[in-house]
Amino acid sequence: MGRKPIIAGNWKLNKLTGEAVAIVEDIKAKLDTIDSANLPEVVVCPVFTALQSVSNILEHGKNIRLGAQNFYYKDSGAFTGEVSLPMLKDLCVTDVIIGHSERREYFSESDEMVNLKVKAALANDVTPIICVGESLEQREQGITDNHITSQVKKALDGLSAAEVCKVVFAYEPIWAIGTGKTCDAVEANRVIKMIRSVIADVSNSGIASSVRILYGGSVKPSTIEEQMAQSDIDGALVGGASLVAESFVGIITGSMKSRV
Ligand code: PGA
C-alpha cells in the first residue's frame, strides 16, 4: 500500500527544557541501534520553550522530526503572544498538530480556524497533522460518523487535490484521550476507513489511499501491534506514553511488527 507509518509524540503541557532534551537523547540513542529501514517516521512535539534545545540535538533529516503543538496562521504582525510557521521553521519544525480536541475544547479552536491553519501549514511546506474525533456523548447519540465527516470536510475546504495529498489525519476519539481506554482497533479502523472515503469524496480515491491516517487515544506499547495490524491505521499520535522514552520507543518498534 506504500503508506509509511508515522508515530508522533504529543507532549502537551509537559517537560522543562532539560527534561525534554534528556528524553530525546534517550529516544535517539535507542533508535540509533535500529536500522532506519525498520523504523516508521517519528515526530516529537515538545512545548514551544523546549523546541530550540531539542532542535539542537536532533540530526535533522535522520530518524526523528520536530513538531509543534500549535501556531498562529499569519506569518507575522500585531498578534501578541502568538508564534508563526516561519518562526517554527526557523527551528527546523517540519510538522504541526492542528485541531487537537484539547485546543478545540479549551481554546475555542473552530473548524474555520483549523482550515486556516491547514492552509497556512501547506503554504509553508509544513505537514499538518489534523485531529478529528467524537465525544462520548456524540458516540452514544450515534452521530460519530456525521460529526467526523463534517470535521474532515471543513478541514480540507478549498484545498487542491495536490494539497490534500500532503495532509496527515489523526482520529482521536475524545473519550479515549488520556483515559487509558483505547478504542477497539477494529472500530478505530472502521472510522479511519470512513475518513478515507470522505477524503476520496473531496479529492479522489488515489489521493485518499495515499493519505496517512493515525489513531490516537491511550496508545501504549501493548496496544500498537493490534492497531497497526488493521488495514487503514497508519500510525499513532501518542500523548502520555510519549513522555517516557522506553514506552515511546516500544510503540515505535511495535508499530513496524504487525504492519499489514
Ligand atoms: P493519550 O493522548 O495518548 O495520552 O491518550 C493522545 C493525544 O491527546 O494526542
Side-chain angles (χ1 to χ4, degrees):
M1 71 171 71
R3 293 190 303 265
K4 183 148 194 214
I6 302 175
I7 301 294
N10 172 14
W11 293 3
K12 309 191 181 185
L13 187 55
N14 291 293
K15 297 208 182 285
L16 300 176
T17 299
E19 298 167 327
V21 167
I23 181 174
V24 172
E25 293 279 22
D26 204 356
I27 296 167
K28 241 177 73 170
K30 288 178 163 68
L31 295 188
D32 277 349
T33 64
I34 303 168
D35 180 353
S36 57
N38 298 325
L39 289 174
E41 293 178 18
V42 177
V43 186
V44 290
C45 306
V47 294
F48 286 133
T49 48
L51 283 173
Q52 176 73 75
S53 301
V54 170
S55 183
N56 290 345
I57 60 161
L58 290 179
E59 295 150 78
H60 297 286
K62 233 188 127 195
N63 299 348
I64 308 174
R65 297 206 300 265
L66 188 61
Q69 299 172 24
N70 188 31
F71 62 96
Y72 192 55
Y73 71 96
K74 301 265 192 190
D75 284 356
S76 62
F79 304 104
T80 302
E82 295 299 316
V83 172
S84 75
L85 288 158
M87 292 163 188
L88 294 173
K89 283 181 76 176
D90 207 22
L91 305 180
C92 300
V93 165
T94 54
D95 298 67
V96 284
I97 299 173
I98 300 176
H100 190 282
S101 61
E102 287 149 18
R103 293 215 58 83
R104 292 181 191 259
E105 185 179 349
Y106 307 136
F107 304 99
S108 309
E109 196 160 297
S110 63
D111 284 322
E112 291 68 33
M113 179 57 80
V114 168
N115 180 246
L116 288 169
K117 287 181 161 189
V118 171
K119 287 175 174 157
L122 293 168
N124 279 280
D125 213 11
V126 171
T127 299
I129 302 175
I130 309 165
C131 303
V132 296
E134 80 287 1
S135 64
L136 186 56
E137 205 185 356
Q138 288 168 324
R139 177 159 281 268
E140 285 171 353
Q141 286 169 358
I143 57 171
T144 297
D145 293 11
N146 283 348
H147 174 68
I148 291 172
T149 298
S150 160
Q151 284 185 320
V152 172
K153 282 192 171 157
K154 287 176 179 162
L156 299 180
D157 189 38
L159 264 60
S160 68
E163 288 174 320
V164 174
C165 220
K166 295 181 187 157
V167 310
V168 172
F169 273 96
Y171 167 53
E172 298 208 309
I174 299 171
W175 48 270
I177 297 177
T179 58
K181 241 196 257 170
T182 324
C183 179
D184 174 72
V186 172
E187 169 60 8
N189 195 53
R190 185 196 69 77
V191 176
I192 286 176
K193 270 182 146 165
M194 196 269 303
I195 293 172
R196 214 176 281 294
S197 74
V198 178
I199 298 171
D201 283 350
V202 302
S203 59
N204 61 58
S205 57
I207 285 175
S209 66
S210 72
V211 169
R212 268 95 55 93
I213 310 179
L214 319 180
Y215 166 78
S218 298
V219 173
K220 304 178 237 355
S222 60
T223 66
I224 191 70
E225 285 186 44
E226 190 189 0
Q227 287 153 345
M228 295 305 291
Q230 307 301 316
S231 62
D232 283 67
I233 301 183
D234 301 322
L237 182 56
V238 187
S242 71
L243 295 169
V244 177
E246 201 180 342
S247 54
F248 191 52
V249 172
I251 292 169
I252 292 167
T253 52
S255 73
M256 299 303 273
K257 284 188 193 152
S258 54
R259 180 68 177 153
V260 285

